[in-house]
């Protein structure tokens, strides 16, 4: 008996083909190779829209529904075609989390439902943070994604759908820390303003790293380094730097709440 079931999610508009000249045939062949020895294909859905980046993605809704009905993992043949489409990656990540479903990609075996949000956040922030997609950087990222996915898969079930209980409670620093005593009550000085802006730039990446299971400051710092995200000074991240950034973000949130209350 196969240990896992998969629902393949294919895209008719993707470039590439196999010997038959059909993009869909190439994707089906990739899916078959991936599923072999891992389980059984429980269904297939083809996204036929002219624009593969259409936010509606009716085929995706159908595929996710089929995954829930059959207890299957959503399997894409070519995730790489969407690696620079953060809107799609973020939407897919959010839907998988909402429905508590697993994800796999035939062309990116290191990817999982845990890594999609990080991929989206990085794609959105690369220009702002000055991150280059060098072969070395991408190799480190793939290794990091593979490690996160493997460690997650190895964990015993600890909640509904086998989701570790830490996932929903793994953001202690971002929303609960008190603002630093030195925060002024008027306009911020230029260095402080730049620090706040930098913190806001990396905030989505921090959030996704936390959501992927990083609980300690050291784990977050190691993840940022593995992903090639530079610190404010262009150096490596250390736990203390993560603490400072998360405190700045918390202070900013509290200041926003106070300002909103005053003008309500």
């Amino acid at each position: 008996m196969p240990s896992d079931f998969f629902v393949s999610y294919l895209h008719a508009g993707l470039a590439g083909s196999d010997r038959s000249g059909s993009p869909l045939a190439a994707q089906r062949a990739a899916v078959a190779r991936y599923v072999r020895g891992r389980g059984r294909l429980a269904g297939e859905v083809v996204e036929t829209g002219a624009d593969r980046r259409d936010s509606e993605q009716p085929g995706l809704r159908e595929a996710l529904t089929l995954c829930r009905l059959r207890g299957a993992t959503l399997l894409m043949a070519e995730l790489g075609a969407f690696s620079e489409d953060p809107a799609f990656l973020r939407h897919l990540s959010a839907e998988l989390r909402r429905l508590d479903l697993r994800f796999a990609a035939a062309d990116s075996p290191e990817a999982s439902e845990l890594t999609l949000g990080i991929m989206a956040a990085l794609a959105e922030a690369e220009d702002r943070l000055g991150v280059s997609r060098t072969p070395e950087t991408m190799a480190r990222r793939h290794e990091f994604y593979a490690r996160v996915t493997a460690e997650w898969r190895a964990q015993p079930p600890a909640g509904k759908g086998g989701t570790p209980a830490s996932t929903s409670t793994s953001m202690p620093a971002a929303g609960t820390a008190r603002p630093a005593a030195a925060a002024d009550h008027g306009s911020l000085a230029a260095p402080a303003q730049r620090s706040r802006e930098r913190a806001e730039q990396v905030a989505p990446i921090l959030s996704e790293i936390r959501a992927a299971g990083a609980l300690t400051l050291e784990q977050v710092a190691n993840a940022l380094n593995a992903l090639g995200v530079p610190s404010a000074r262009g150096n490596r991240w250390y736990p203390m730097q993560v603490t400072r950034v998360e405190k700045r973000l918390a202070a900013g949130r509290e200041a926003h709440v106070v300002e909103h209350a005053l003008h309500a």
Side-chain angles (χ1 to χ4, degrees), residues 100 152 155-168:
D100 194 16
W152 178 277
Q155 292 184 33
K160 182 181 178 181
T163 301
S166 61
T167 302
S168 61

Side-chain angles (χ1 to χ4, degrees), residues 92-134:
L92 177 58
S93 175
E95 288 300 287
L96 290 167
R97 288 178 182 172
R98 182 177 68 85
L99 299 172
D100 194 16
L101 294 174
R102 283 191 171 190
F103 173 82
D107 66 335
S108 304
E110 75 279 0
S112 69
E113 64 278 8
L114 295 174
T115 66
L116 289 172
I118 300 176
M119 293 176 182
L122 283 171
E124 290 174 336
E126 280 179 337
D127 289 340
R128 298 194 306 271
L129 298 177
V131 180
S132 300
R133 288 194 174 196
T134 65

